[in-house]
Every structure is written in C-alpha cells, then in structure tokens.
Amino acid sequence: MPEKAPTLRFNCFLLREGLESYEQAFRSQYRPGNASGMRKLDESPSAPDGCVAYLRDMTEKTPAWARLLAPIFTELESVQNFSNRLVIFLPVGERTFAICFGYGSSTLEWSWVEANFGLRFAARRFDSNHMSGIGSRRIDASARSQWVQIPANSSINDFEVELEGEFTRKLVGRLDEGMEFPDLGAVVATDSVSFKLDTDLNKVRDVLERMLSTAETDAASADLAFIDALEPLRVKSEIVKDLEKLLVDDVFGARARKPQGVPLDELAVNSLTVHILSVAPPDDVSVENIHDFVIYKNDHIQVFESMTLESLREAIFELPGQFGVSSLADIKVQARDSNGEAVSMAKPLKHWLIFEAGDDDRRYLLTLGKWYALAERYSEKLNQDLGKIEDVTPILKLRTWDDWGKGQNWERHYNDKATESRPDLICLDRYPLFAEDGDQVEACDLLHSGGYLIHVKQYTGSQTLSHLFAQGFVSAQTIISDESYRKDFIEAVRSINSAFVDAASALPPKVVTFAIAFDGTQQLPRDLPTFSKVNLRSFSRRIKLLGSVATLSRIQMTFKPKKKDG
C-alpha cells in the first residue's frame, strides 16, 4: 500500500490587485532590510512559477511576566518567548495569494488583503447540511461576537442561531458536490480560506484557482445568501471618499482637518443620520488575551487600556497635529497581551471602528475596515416586514419625557410619572417577580387596561434596544410557560389596582409594546440602526409565535440627556 502523502493546513489570503512587489504586502517593519525584516528563501524548482517564500525565524523576547517577577524568582531572568513566521506568495492566474504559517499573517499589511474572500467563496460552495462552525458579530455598539460549534457536520438550522442580520465572519464546513477536489477536510472561511491538502503547491494553486473563479462568478446559495446582504463598496469610489470625510468629522471632532475639495456640509452624505460610531476589535483579536493597545503614527506611539471610543480618542489626541482621511489608514492600532506581545495585526484605525449612517433611501456601514451598502433588495424586504408592526403611539398616548432635574430623569422616574392622571395605566417597574428558576423577570414597566404590556427604554443605541426587545419576549414567554410566575404577576397587579386583573390575566398576553424614547425627531422604526431593525423583526416574529402581538410606541424627550439614563 503506497504511503499517504503528508498533509498540511494552508491558510490563504487573497491580495488586492495593484501590488508592485511581494515585499510591499508586508508591514514596513517586516520588509527585508528592516530590523524585523523577513528573509527571502531560495527559489525552489518544485514550486510553481513565480512562487516566493519569506521567513522570519526564532524571534526572541522576554515575556513581561518573567521580567516583572524576576526580582522574586531570579531563574525567570533567562526565560524567552520564540516565534516563527513564514509567508509563501503564490501566483494564481492574474492574482496572488499569501499563504501564512506560524505568525505569518501578522506580518501582512492589511490594506493589501482582499476582505471577505473566504466568505464569498463559502456562500457559493459550502454544503449547508454539512456545517460544523459559525462565527458572527453584530454591527452595533456592543459588537457582540458569537462562535457556535457542533462537532458533527450538521444542517445550518441545527445551530439555532439567528444568522440573518448578523455580519457573518467565519464558517466551517464541507464543500458541496460542485467542487471536484479531493477531500480538503473542514474548510474554514473568513477573510482567508483555510483547507488541508498535501504539500504539493501546484495542487494548492489549482484549488485556489477554482475557489477564486467561484467567488467571482457564481451566485450565493439560498441558505447562505444572507452573507451577501452587505454589498462591498469599491475602496476608491466617490461615495467611500465622502463617507470617510463624514467618519473623520465624527471621530476627530475639533481636531479633524478640513477636507480637501467640496466642504463637508455641501456633500450629500452630510445629510445622513449617524446611527453608530463605536470601537470594536478585528476578527483576529481574542478579548480575553488583551492587556492594552498601542497606537502607531509615524514615529509616535501611544498606549491605552480600555477598548472604548473615549479611551481611543484620548490616546489619539496625544498625537500632534490635526487628523484627516489619511489618518484612518496611517494610524495603526494593535492589541497586546500581558507579555507585551502582539495579539493582533497592527491594523489601520478604521479596522477598529464600527460606523453606520443612512437616510430613507440609503444605508452605509463600516466594519472591519470595509465599507458596505445595505443591499437594496434586503433593505426593502426589511422595511416591508417592519411596516407590518403596528405603531400604537396614538392609542397609548404616553406622556413626554421632560427634564425633571438632576438625578430625576431615570427610567423609573418616567414610569412613575407616566401613570399620573392616567386611570388606564399602572406602573410595575422594579416590582420583584421571580420565575421558577429563580431569575427575576420584569413583566413590564407599564400595564395598559387594554392589555398592553409596555416595556420602556430611552434610545441610547442598538445595545439598549437589544435588551429591550429580548426583555419583551422573555416576559411574555415566562407569563405563558410559568404558572407560578403568572399567578404572582396577576396578584401584583391586583395589589396595585384590581381593575387591571383582566388585562393581566390574558393568556397569552394580548399585546407586547416596545416604547422607545427619543430626544430628537427620529421616527420608528425608520431611523433605527440596521441591525436593531433586524433584531426587532426577529423578536416580533417570536412574540407572534407565542400568540401575542408586538407593537411599537414612540416617547418624545424634551431634552437631550448628558448621561445615559436607565
């Protein structure tokens, strides 16, 4: 029996077009000749034409924990960390892939990496019935990431995660029958594509050539079509140039440099409403490994410890001068662990920002350094679905949220005042009710005599709304499924006003209302962030399955709060 050829996992990044030399794809410190420069290996006759490899071996560094504890345990003085980096540049047709081993991917200049390549391929050739892992994140202030793994190959529906509306960042699975390749094992798709194959680089090239053609020409499969809901915008397009001027103005404020050409207030994008501006880590960052962050700009370095927009700005504003569009690329941010070692690539500032702006007709998003437009067909369907959710503002006529003075503008104060001179409303905010498992579940903030369970939140971003929508669903579900909780809820209502017992006794609850307070002229649901809209649609569907009806109500705030109210 012939000996089986050894296999290796290849992690392949597609490089952007226009690269003048392979060495240009490295971050400056890793270019040959620099202090940490990669070393070009001798060309091999067994490698495909044009294939070139670069190596950086045995980098030594004393870990921070060893340096700091050495005064206590002197033997730690000799401890060293070692790391190796290998990058193989492989021409495939008219394009080039960078195949990385060890810490090789950390040497790449990210602006030369084609974002989303692996996922575009996966959406077209993964078998949705043979998936083993899904990773996604929200484009909102929480930037909540999730990774769900099932050891056995399963249908995408078995993961029981709400993928539509998520920005999917990682898929692990097997290819469908349309790819005539030997078994590549589990294929991992992110910005890169990773698969297992024997070490014949000619075979690797053939696989990548087919993958590249598939990603560029085929249509996404029905089960994975949501991956294409965000349409990439060309880096050098006029709309991207204008959006980055808007982003610069929001990020840098008074330190923003006046944009070249047409003034910002004369650009069409200046009429867009900014829905989200937040800091979030790129995909290659594991939050639990982060100790601090480093900002690089030319010869200037600043360190900050908290992954917040405020901390980021404080560090940036320690740098000299003003900031323009070029600063989004020139300023690099890198995460470090407690050893002082990099735990992420040093990526341009805009890779660490989440931004969303839009109006009635357009919606644009920035995430992981890439600009997207929400696909028109997706946006239209989303708005159509949300249009079916009844706005009960004229029915409930909830009072305005006025400025009642310092310390008197929290949610509890509003709920108390909302019932004043309103015989059709009672307040249950902060009333202690417990489910069978011991968790405290708030039935509602306000109960209307017509059977409306009203949940109130001041709009402070999509993270607040996620909590609100989940709260409304969990409350209705608990009332239905937990008899003891339901009885306690009814008794609580009886103790406040027995006239409301019939409204509380409806099973399932008649209406769940999400009452959202705005301090401006925002409209519901039109002016919600995109993924809050998706979240609202999802929870309204879940509430409908319970036998209840989800509705919306708008509360007008007559002042702009200085701090986030609860």
Side-chain angles (χ1 to χ4, degrees):
M1 184 174 179
E3 185 177 347
K4 186 177 180 180
T7 60
L8 192 63
R9 179 160 288 278
F10 293 84
N11 189 27
C12 311
F13 295 85
L14 177 63
L15 300 181
R16 295 186 185 277
E17 295 177 292
L19 197 67
E20 295 179 0
S21 70
Y22 293 151
E23 295 177 5
Q24 188 182 5
F26 289 124
R27 289 164 49 202
S28 58
Q29 64 265 42
Y30 290 108
R31 292 171 186 165
N34 291 338
S36 300
M38 302 283 281
R39 171 170 59 89
K40 184 179 179 180
L41 303 184
D42 293 337
E43 295 184 9
S44 168
S46 60
D49 291 342
C51 180
V52 178
Y54 289 81
L55 174 68
R56 171 71 176 173
D57 56 351
M58 299 301 287
T59 302
E60 301 179 19
K61 189 171 184 178
T62 302
W65 53 264
R67 183 178 67 255
L68 295 173
L69 293 174
I72 303 173
F73 304 102
T74 56
E75 291 173 273
L76 294 178
E77 293 175 353
S78 60
V79 172
Q80 296 287 310
N81 277 342
F82 297 92
S83 60
N84 297 282
R85 297 171 170 88
L86 175 66
V87 179
I88 299 173
F89 293 102
L90 181 64
V92 177
E94 300 297 320
R95 305 294 296 272
T96 299
F97 282 85
I99 306 174
C100 300
F101 300 92
Y103 290 89
S105 61
S106 67
T107 69
L108 297 178
E109 173 56 56
W110 201 249
S111 60
W112 282 108
V113 172
E114 188 79 55
N116 232 34
F117 164 72
L119 287 165
R120 281 192 287 118
F121 167 73
R124 288 150 177 81
R125 278 294 177 263
F126 267 29
D127 185 341
S128 61
N129 290 313
H130 289 85
M131 308 285 293
S132 55
I134 295 173
S136 63
R137 70 188 286 162
R138 288 279 183 186
I139 303 182
D140 64 11
S142 70
R144 187 267 294 143
S145 296
Q146 64 177 343
W147 167 246
V148 183
Q149 186 172 358
I150 298 179
N153 290 323
S154 305
S155 164
I156 194 170
N157 295 322
D158 293 339
F159 286 81
E160 297 182 350
V161 293
E162 191 75 27
L163 283 172
E164 187 176 12
E166 296 276 345
F167 188 61
T168 304
R169 295 307 305 144
K170 185 176 183 179
L171 293 175
V172 182
R174 295 188 176 275
L175 304 184
D176 64 22
E177 295 179 355
M179 301 298 289
E180 297 84 9
F181 286 127
D183 185 11
L184 300 179
V187 177
V188 181
T190 57
D191 284 318
S192 66
V193 62
S194 172
F195 52 85
K196 205 169 184 180
L197 197 63
D198 67 51
T199 53
D200 183 345
L201 291 179
N202 289 287
K203 291 182 180 180
V204 174
R205 180 193 58 193
D206 293 343
V207 169
L208 290 174
E209 187 170 27
R210 183 66 182 279
M211 289 182 170
L212 181 60
S213 174
T214 297
E216 291 178 341
T217 60
D218 291 8
S221 65
D223 287 340
L224 297 172
F226 59 83
I227 291 175
D228 287 347
L230 297 178
E231 298 177 344
L233 298 174
R234 290 189 300 108
V235 176
K236 296 183 179 180
S237 65
E238 288 302 316
I239 186 62
V240 166
K241 292 178 183 178
D242 291 347
L243 286 168
E244 294 197 341
K245 293 176 183 177
L246 180 64
L247 174 61
V248 163
D249 188 64
D250 269 81
V251 172
F252 301 117
R255 294 283 298 275
R257 186 183 301 119
K258 184 178 179 181
Q260 296 181 350
V262 180
L264 180 63
D265 59 5
E266 295 181 17
L267 294 174
V269 297
N270 195 49
S271 64
L272 302 179
T273 300
V274 174
H275 297 287
I276 299 172
L277 174 58
S278 184
V279 177
D283 277 352
D284 64 329
V285 178
S286 295
V287 176
E288 67 270 18
N289 294 329
I290 296 175
H291 177 68
D292 60 19
F293 306 86
V294 184
I295 289 180
Y296 303 92
K297 188 177 188 298
N298 300 327
D299 297 329
H300 300 281
I301 297 176
Q302 290 293 327
V303 177
F304 66 103
E305 295 186 354
S306 175
M307 192 163 47
T308 65
L309 188 60
E310 292 72 20
S311 296
L312 174 70
R313 279 176 170 147
E314 286 179 8
I316 289 175
F317 291 163
E318 290 297 319
L319 302 173
Q322 291 185 304
F323 307 96
V325 170
S326 62
S327 301
L328 298 174
D330 294 343
I331 296 175
K332 303 291 197 302
V333 181
Q334 186 171 45
R336 303 188 304 188
D337 61 18
S338 58
N339 298 326
E341 292 284 345
V343 292
S344 76
M345 300 182 192
K347 292 184 179 178
L349 172 63
K350 73 176 183 178
H351 285 254
W352 291 78
L353 296 174
I354 288 178
F355 185 74
E356 179 181 341
D359 58 20
D360 287 349
D361 303 316
R362 305 167 294 168
R363 194 64 70 109
Y364 302 104
L365 307 103
L366 171 72
T367 184
L368 302 170
K370 184 78 173 176
W371 286 98
Y372 297 88
L374 189 66
E376 185 176 353
R377 61 190 181 280
Y378 183 85
S379 182
E380 288 177 354
K381 181 63 167 61
L382 179 58
N383 288 333
Q384 287 173 6
D385 292 342
L386 293 180
K388 299 173 184 176
I389 301 176
E390 184 182 3
D391 184 344
V392 295
T393 303
I395 297 174
L396 297 181
K397 296 183 175 65
L398 296 176
R399 68 160 299 161
T400 57
W401 193 324
D402 295 317
D403 186 352
W404 296 301
K406 185 177 180 181
Q408 298 297 312
N409 290 319
W410 296 86
E411 182 185 307
R412 65 178 181 271
H413 300 117
Y414 174 82
N415 291 330
D416 285 338
K417 291 181 180 294
T419 62
E420 293 177 357
S421 302
R422 289 291 301 267
D424 57 345
L425 286 175
I426 60 172
C427 177
L428 286 103
D429 184 16
R430 294 169 288 115
Y431 205 100
L433 293 171
F434 295 89
E436 286 181 344
D437 58 8
D439 289 342
Q440 186 169 346
V441 178
E442 188 176 85
C444 58
D445 292 308
L446 302 169
L447 177 64
H448 187 271
S449 58
Y452 296 79
L453 274 66
I454 305 169
H455 299 267
V456 176
K457 277 286 180 291
Q458 177 193 136
Y459 175 69
T460 57
S462 51
Q463 190 171 7
T464 302
L465 296 184
S466 295
H467 175 74
L468 174 67
F469 301 149
Q471 177 182 326
F473 170 74
V474 170
S475 164
Q477 185 183 52
T478 306
I479 289 171
I480 293 169
S481 63
D482 189 333
E483 183 178 359
S484 176
Y485 178 87
R486 182 167 64 253
K487 289 180 179 178
D488 289 345
F489 168 51
I490 294 172
E491 287 307 310
V493 170
R494 189 190 308 276
S495 69
I496 298 171
N497 189 332
S498 61
F500 285 75
V501 168
D502 287 345
S505 300
L507 192 67
K510 183 179 177 182
V511 184
V512 175
T513 299
F514 301 117
I516 305 173
F518 294 97
D519 56 48
T521 59
Q522 300 96 325
Q523 296 183 30
L524 273 177
R526 187 194 72 179
D527 291 327
L528 297 180
T530 296
F531 289 89
S532 291
K533 289 184 175 183
V534 174
N535 216 13
L536 171 59
R537 179 175 65 179
S538 173
F539 277 107
S540 67
R541 287 173 173 173
R542 295 187 201 181
I543 289 170
K544 184 177 181 180
L545 290 174
L546 295 176
S548 301
V549 176
T551 62
L552 291 168
S553 183
R554 189 185 189 284
I555 299 171
Q556 182 62 54
M557 300 187 71
T558 59
F559 68 104
K560 192 173 185 65
K562 294 181 180 179
K563 293 184 179 181
K564 177 181 175 181
D565 276 353

